[in-house]
């Protein structure tokens, strides 16, 4: 990290970062380490979580634009989280928290069941080589994990610039019995709450179409 990012961890982490008990890995979350969002954010409010928040462009913009909503950035790269804190501090986004941890463990162990109103998965690593496809985030098993964290009627939003991965994500989410499509036709309209990020610009410059998906969590029985 740069000197500025190192200082961000020292000065800003106490305000922004949730540091859960760890399992064996540095980015793991110990089972049973569940938080109370009302205590963490100091209020009752809708919660939006972003998986793979990168340098925080999308979530900081959203948090600073919607002060009535709580936001959680989930990311495993320390430098990206440091940059997110610096940007959030400049923007005055006091409704944002960050956690450096593996997303499935955050959803399964850190957040209470049915506590997320909206979950964002924007431009996850496509692992576009066939031999690497098994490393992709969005799988049937992950859909089960998402289903536990998202409240009834909550929304899952996805976007990617890799067509093959977009089709895989759609296939996985269409097959998940806990979710139903929140769009008509082949793809969802571009989510207007997503700011134009470097990943999206890079994909567009390379001639790759951006594909959005959106799903609603069905009511639990």
């Amino acid at each position: 990290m740069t000197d500025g990012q190192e200082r961000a961890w020292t000065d800003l982490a106490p305000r922004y970062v949730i540091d859960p008990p760890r399992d064996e890995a540095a980015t793991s979350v110990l089972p049973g380490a569940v938080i109370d969002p009302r205590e963490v954010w100091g209020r009752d409010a809708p919660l939006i979580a972003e998986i793979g928040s990168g340098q925080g462009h999308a979530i900081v913009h959203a948090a600073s634009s919607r002060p009535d909503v709580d936001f959680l950035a989930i990311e495993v790269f320390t430098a990206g989280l440091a940059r997110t804190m610096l940007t959030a501090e400049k923007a005055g986004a006091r409704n944002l928290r960050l956690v450096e941890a593996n997303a499935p463990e955050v959803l399964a162990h850190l957040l209470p069941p049915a506590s997320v109103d909206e979950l964002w998965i924007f431009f996850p690593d496509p692992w576009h080589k066939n031999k690497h496809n098994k490393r992709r985030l969005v799988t049937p098993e992950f859909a089960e994990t998402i289903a536990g964290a998202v409240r009834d009627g909550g929304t899952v939003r996805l976007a990617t610039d890799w067509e093959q991965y977009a089709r895989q994500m759609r296939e996985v989410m269409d097959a998940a019995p806990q979710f139903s499509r929140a769009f008509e036709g082949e793809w969802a309209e571009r989510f207007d709450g997503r700011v134009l990020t470097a990943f999206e610009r890079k994909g567009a410059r390379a001639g790759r179409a951006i594909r959005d998906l959106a799903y609603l969590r069905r009511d639990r029985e």
Side-chain angles (χ1 to χ4, degrees):
M1 293 195 294
T2 65
D3 290 344
Q5 290 167 342
E6 292 281 4
R7 287 194 298 273
W9 276 102
T10 301
D11 298 339
L12 301 177
R15 176 180 297 164
Y16 289 103
V17 175
I18 299 170
D19 188 15
R22 304 293 182 176
D23 207 340
E24 295 182 3
T27 55
S28 64
V29 178
L30 190 69
V34 64
I35 62 170
D36 182 347
R38 291 172 297 181
E39 292 184 1
V40 172
W41 279 269
R43 62 178 181 177
D44 276 310
L47 176 60
I48 294 177
E50 182 182 13
I51 293 173
S53 55
Q55 296 188 38
H57 299 302
I59 202 163
V60 171
H61 178 270
S64 59
S65 303
R66 302 177 64 183
D68 58 324
V69 176
D70 294 332
F71 288 85
L72 177 64
I74 305 168
E75 179 56 74
V76 294
F77 294 108
T78 307
L81 290 170
R83 173 57 58 187
T84 300
M85 283 189 285
L86 290 168
T87 307
E89 183 70 8
K90 185 176 180 180
R94 299 291 187 264
N95 53 333
L96 174 64
R97 298 294 181 271
L98 292 67
V99 60
E100 183 181 14
N102 301 322
E105 295 178 50
V106 171
L107 298 179
H109 305 313
L110 189 67
L111 293 173
S115 61
V116 177
D117 290 81
E118 201 163 302
L119 183 67
W120 297 350
I121 307 171
F122 298 151
F123 303 96
D125 193 327
W127 294 108
H128 55 280
K129 294 182 179 179
N130 289 335
K131 65 180 180 180
H132 293 155
N133 285 176
K134 62 184 179 181
R135 301 184 186 182
R136 288 174 171 171
L137 177 67
V138 182
T139 63
E141 295 76 18
F142 188 59
E144 289 281 344
T145 301
I146 292 172
V150 176
R151 68 164 178 82
D152 293 0
T155 304
V156 178
R157 300 187 185 280
L158 310 99
T160 182
D161 59 336
W162 287 89
E163 181 178 2
Q164 184 195 50
Y165 196 11
R167 294 186 181 281
Q168 176 185 319
M169 293 194 297
R170 188 177 62 188
E171 180 180 334
V172 166
M173 296 301 293
D174 280 352
Q178 304 93 338
F179 294 97
S180 60
R181 285 190 180 190
F183 63 96
E184 296 181 358
E186 195 171 9
W187 306 105
E189 294 292 327
R190 186 188 187 280
F191 174 45
D192 59 9
R194 187 178 76 246
V195 297
L196 192 63
T197 64
F199 279 105
E200 191 163 350
R201 291 190 186 95
K202 183 178 180 181
R205 286 197 301 270
R208 296 191 294 269
I210 311 302
R211 292 174 170 84
D212 281 69
L213 295 165
Y215 289 84
L216 295 177
R217 177 55 163 101
R218 297 180 187 271
D219 289 351
R220 291 164 172 79
E221 297 181 357

